[in-house]
Amino acid sequence: MLQYSPDFLLDLYARMVRIRHFEESVKFMFLEGALPGTIHQCQGQEATAVGVCSVLRNDDFITSTFRGHGHALAKGLTVEELLCELFGASTGCCKGKGGSMHVGNMAKGMVPGIAIVGGGIPVAAGMALAFKMQKTDRVAVSFFGDGAVAEGAFHEGVNMAAIWNLPAVFVCENNLYGASTHISQVMRDTNIARRVAGGYGIRTEQLDGNDVVAVHEAARAAVEECRAGSGPVFLELLTYRLTGHSRRDPGHYQPKEERAAWSEKDPIPRFAQVLRDRGIADDSVLEAIAQRIASEFDEAVEVARNAPQPTVEDLLTDVFV
Amino acid sequence: MRFELKMPDLATTDSEIRIGRWMVEPGEKVHRGQPLLEVETDKAAMEVESVVSGVLVEIVSQVDDAVSVGDVIAVFEVADTAKSSPMTRSAPEAAPSASDRSAAGTSPPPVESTPRVAEGAKGGMFARKRGAASPAGYDEGVRLTVAERTASKRLQESKQTIPHFYLQTRFKASAILARREATASVKLTWDAFFVRAVARAMGRFDRFRRRLEGDRLVPLATLAVGVAIDHAGELFVIPVVEPADKSVEEISAEIRANVERLRGGDADARMIRPAAMTISNLGVCNVECFLPIINPPETAILGIGKVAPCVVVREDGQLGVEPCGTLALSVDHRVAGGRYAAEFLDAIVRELESA
Ligand SMILES: Cc1ncc(C[n+]2csc(CCOP(=O)(O)OP(=O)(O)O)c2C)c(N)n1
Ligand SMILES: [Mg+2]
């Protein structure tokens, strides 16, 4: 930890707080009826997105899922372009045509979210192949859940990346559930990292996905290997969603004790404690970060609320017809 | 200022949402994020959190009401200075900061922005969901309630996937009538006799104490006989646990108490608890005989018709008149064959006749 500057660590913290604040605030907007459709949120999983994206450059690419708000904020999309997208405004990151499940911004290295479980994995392998053929050192990172591991697309993407040594990092956010189904009901060996290592012959690592610094370090090693031509790498990040699968899911299948135990491992208070213990920040510093993020969010709401909606003429632009 | 709380879009389809229980009372102070009520959607029962901090002034939607997304369900009084709406206020209670950030001063001046979003020119999602008013005199049809839809799905699945067969018979009711007369002061429910008879007969028919799981008949941990109840048009099953060990008086009191709890809106009493089998009694409705649909995952159901004086042929060949009732047993053929079920039904009859 000593090798990191306080600014870097505080930035990791602020990025996680930004995601949490975004998700919690958006939750209330949804309850108020201000947002269309449902939303899939990532409270409790902030450290995976922030830790991994902290080692990426703007020209590295990520793919994400239906649960993409955190990945987007971590990859550098602004609160404003995301909020506008959630409001369906034409100033949103996908011009209001994607919505919550498809946030992304190609200029910032994020393919709009792919809601088909496992769908981003072959896309990342394809991008990694392009990066390799173009002889760049760019890296493609795919975020997906434990549920994706049983998809055919997972096998095709990971296998292809493996046989061609592609610069791809596969990041499995294992939060124990695919919707309401516990991993033990859909896999015999629930150690995904072990299975992937054995099955595809690539380097894999399983680690605490709620420890943002540990995730940063594992991701840095993985990305360095990829840039050096010895990818791909598979990371299994053990984490937990402290909210329903979607806003319409109360999450009754998560046993109370299990949820309580994982609340204790909530990555944000946990990292705040580390920062305090190391004398990097006291409560007033952390408070100032929270305030800054809250007002940044409030300003973005104001913009999103008054942003123009797409017009009928926009119906046929940016789509295949 | 007044704040109208609208039903959030919690259902997975366009279906209505039923109010299960209010967890706060008018006059109570609530804070943003506090669970206010329980609702039942087409998919799950869940709590609804308050989107404002303030005082609950009025509950608009009562328990059991079926409401649509965007309907006003409660009214709050919120402080004019309160950052009440996430549209103007965004500090989440669950935020990871060390201290409470609810203090005013970090957000733009409060605007009553929720209605602007929901009903403004752009139209919030609630506004989009609402259709135009239908022309006068046009009957749009009656929409099934959430509970009705759930029940219809289950019953359709049962009828389509369980190979039902049916056995009918008659029983002599004089013993029950005598017993009811002898205890006229407490007025035993008819159902208590049927529950007990079924339970006692089950004691000798092992297959009816089991449930089909895949290709295995697994034993049930507890034996319960369910009583089908129609409460305000909704179907419920009241389980009587281990009735073979109970007296008719006890069973009768238990059924009555549970019906009261149902009527009182007790959410617990509404929970679905499967029994070994259910009895369904339409005798009071003047029905002679009917063939009920099995209530899955149960394996049989007993339909009970009315008890009335009937002409019977006595053993000596003479005609006589005796009070009789009819029984129809619907059975899952995967669980029991005709002969086995017939013997079971006969055992029920013998229990009833020696009540
Ligand atoms: C191919 C496919 N099948 C099913 C679905 C429906 N679905 C959406 S999310 C989800 C669960 C995904 O679980 P997991 O991959 O573990 O991600 P998590 O939700 O836990 O982040 C399912 C089954 C889908 N979107 N795509
Ligand atoms: Mg999962």
Side-chain angles (χ1 to χ4, degrees):
Chain A
M1 234 349 205
L2 287 174
Q3 70 267 35
Y4 300 111
S5 74
D7 282 352
F8 173 76
L9 295 174
L10 288 173
D11 187 52
L12 285 184
Y13 179 76
R15 282 167 187 271
M16 291 201 290
V17 173
R18 178 175 294 120
I19 297 173
R20 177 69 55 91
H21 187 83
F22 185 90
E23 294 291 50
E24 281 296 315
S25 307
V26 158
K27 174 177 94 178
F28 286 106
M29 291 182 179
F30 172 82
L31 290 174
E32 281 207 336
L35 300 176
T38 190
I39 43 175
H40 300 78
Q41 305 197 283
C42 68
Q43 289 96 322
Q45 304 187 175
E46 292 86 349
T48 59
V50 170
V52 170
C53 292
S54 67
V55 303
L56 298 181
R57 302 192 308 237
N58 190 62
D59 67 345
D60 291 324
F61 263 89
I62 65 167
T63 70
S64 175
T65 66
F66 43 87
R67 201 180 302 291
H69 302 170
H71 302 142
L73 289 169
K75 191 66 176 64
L77 275 75
T78 63
V79 170
E80 189 181 305
E81 66 187 308
L82 283 189
L83 270 182
C84 287
E85 187 59 35
L86 264 52
F87 272 83
S90 52
T91 50
C93 56
C94 295
K95 302 190 183 173
K97 293 179 180 178
S100 166
M101 277 203 269
H102 308 289
V103 293
N105 183 335
M106 295 300 277
K108 294 182 176 176
M110 180 180 187
V111 179
I114 299 173
I116 305 297
V117 171
I121 298 169
V123 173
M127 288 191 295
L129 176 60
F131 295 159
K132 184 172 168 155
M133 291 172 74
Q134 292 162 349
K135 301 200 180 348
T136 67
D137 68 346
R138 294 160 76 185
V139 171
V141 175
S142 184
F143 285 100
F144 50 88
D146 42 278
V149 176
E151 291 287 346
F154 174 88
H155 169 72
E156 295 181 25
V158 174
N159 189 57
M160 208 166 266
I163 56 174
W164 290 336
N165 288 330
L166 299 182
V169 182
F170 298 104
V171 180
C172 177
E173 297 174 306
N174 180 354
N175 60 7
L176 295 181
Y177 296 89
S180 58
T181 308
H182 193 266
I183 51 168
S184 61
Q185 286 176 275
V186 292
M187 41 183 106
R188 273 221 178 160
D189 181 357
T190 54
N191 186 323
I192 300 171
R194 179 168 65 201
R195 286 169 52 200
V196 172
Y200 299 95
I202 61 175
R203 188 174 82 74
T204 72
E205 194 177 336
Q206 183 190 63
L207 65 140
D208 180 351
N210 280 10
D211 177 343
V212 69
V213 173
V215 174
H216 166 79
E217 287 173 353
R220 195 183 52 203
V223 165
E224 275 169 10
E225 279 165 55
C226 285
R227 295 205 203 284
S230 44
V233 178
F234 180 96
L235 300 178
E236 179 187 4
L237 307 182
L238 304 178
T239 184
Y240 197 78
R241 129 170 94 57
L242 295 172
T243 182
H245 168 66
S246 71
R247 284 263 51 89
R248 287 154 180 166
D249 166 31
H252 290 324
Y253 47 84
Q254 291 185 338
K256 275 205 178 75
E257 314 73 54
E258 182 184 277
R259 191 163 316 185
W262 278 94
S263 296
E264 291 292 309
K265 294 190 258 183
D266 185 331
I268 296 174
R270 205 170 129 188
F271 192 49
Q273 194 54 44
V274 171
L275 294 174
R276 279 192 290 263
D277 290 349
R278 309 240 161 186
I280 293 165
D282 57 13
D283 283 349
S284 68
V285 170
L286 300 181
E287 178 61 17
I289 291 175
Q291 292 283 359
R292 172 164 61 79
I293 281 164
S295 38
E296 161 200 285
F297 186 89
D298 289 346
E299 282 163 26
V301 170
E302 205 51 40
V303 173
R305 197 155 60 83
N306 296 306
Q309 296 279 311
T311 62
V312 176
E313 288 73 51
D314 296 327
L315 201 59
L316 298 179
T317 59
D318 301 315
V319 292
F320 293 103
V321 284
Chain B
M1 82 195 170
R2 226 173 109 90
F3 177 87
E4 294 184 336
L5 180 76
K6 294 175 180 150
M7 177 56 79
D9 188 5
L10 296 170
T12 48
T13 59
D14 274 352
S15 59
E16 285 164 325
I17 296 173
R18 200 183 63 82
I19 309 284
R21 176 168 80 99
W22 280 94
M23 297 149 96
V24 288
E25 286 177 7
E28 249 180 82
K29 244 187 165 156
V30 303
H31 61 81
R32 194 158 90 114
Q34 179 179 337
L36 289 181
L37 71 157
E38 275 173 11
V39 297
E40 248 176 61
T41 70
D42 51 345
K43 212 158 178 188
M46 62 180 91
E47 290 177 356
V48 177
E49 294 174 30
S50 179
V51 298
V52 287
S53 298
V55 175
L56 175 61
V57 179
E58 186 196 346
I59 289 179
V60 178
S61 301
Q62 305 302 325
V63 170
D64 273 351
D65 282 359
V67 302
S68 296
V69 170
D71 284 354
V72 174
I73 57 172
V75 179
F76 290 84
E77 187 58 39
V78 298
D80 285 346
T81 52
K83 293 185 292 174
S84 55
S85 150
M87 308 308 301
T88 50
R89 167 192 183 200
S90 47
E93 266 73 9
S97 69
S99 68
D100 177 19
R101 274 189 284 117
S102 61
T106 54
S107 74
V111 197
E112 206 188 335
S113 53
T114 305
R116 265 169 61 192
V117 168
E119 290 148 24
K122 286 176 242 159
M125 279 308 116
F126 293 164
R128 275 179 224 181
K129 280 216 160 188
R130 297 281 179 74
S134 49
Y138 174 73
D139 186 341
E140 292 185 310
V142 179
R143 188 157 170 73
L144 297 184
T145 64
V146 175
E148 280 170 341
R149 266 173 281 149
T150 311
S152 57
K153 235 195 231 157
R154 281 166 63 91
L155 291 176
Q156 180 173 19
E157 196 178 293
S158 166
K159 190 84 188 199
Q160 288 179 331
T161 61
I162 299 177
H164 286 64
F165 72 91
Y166 312 94
L167 301 172
Q168 294 178 43
T169 192
R170 213 147 65 148
F171 68 95
K172 294 179 183 143
S174 39
I176 298 179
L177 286 168
R179 181 77 191 273
R180 290 188 87 221
E181 232 150 76
T183 52
S185 54
V186 277
K187 195 96 196 295
L188 299 171
T189 67
W190 277 93
D191 288 340
F193 291 94
F194 296 112
V195 165
R196 202 168 100 103
V198 164
R200 290 172 68 111
M202 241 182 227
R204 278 168 282 136
F205 289 83
D206 178 61
R207 288 191 159 232
F208 288 108
R209 299 198 304 270
R210 291 171 181 268
R211 157 167 313 160
L212 188 62
E213 275 179 21
D215 54 4
R216 231 164 243 282
L217 286 173
V218 298
L220 295 166
T222 49
L223 256 198
V225 175
V227 181
I229 298 288
D230 180 324
H231 167 59
E234 284 183 32
L235 283 178
F236 292 97
V237 173
I238 292 176
V240 181
V241 178
E242 303 293 354
D245 303 337
K246 294 175 181 165
S247 68
V248 185
E249 285 80 2
E250 283 170 323
I251 298 171
S252 179
E254 194 174 324
I255 295 173
R256 285 229 160 85
N258 276 305
V259 171
E260 279 319 306
R261 284 175 60 206
L262 256 187
R263 292 205 176 117
D266 183 334
D268 244 25
R270 305 178 71 102
M271 289 243 311
I272 297 175
R273 270 161 298 216
M277 67 179 266
T278 293
I279 65 160
S280 178
N281 189 345
L282 287 179
V284 280
C285 306
N286 213 22
V287 164
E288 254 180 23
C289 186
F290 70 104
L291 309 175
I293 301 173
I294 293 169
N295 179 29
E298 298 172 10
T299 52
I301 183 166
L302 185 68
I304 300 154
K306 71 172 172 181
V307 170
C310 292
V311 177
V312 294
V313 182
R314 299 223 171 94
E315 265 165 33
D316 57 7
Q318 297 296 305
L319 293 185
V321 173
E322 273 187 52
C324 292
T326 57
L327 299 178
L329 185 67
S330 308
V331 181
D332 182 341
H333 212 326
R334 298 169 302 180
V335 173
R339 172 146 192 176
Y340 188 86
E343 283 170 5
F344 175 53
L345 182 59
D346 189 49
I348 295 173
V349 168
R350 268 178 286 133
E351 289 293 341
L352 289 171
E353 292 183 347
S354 63

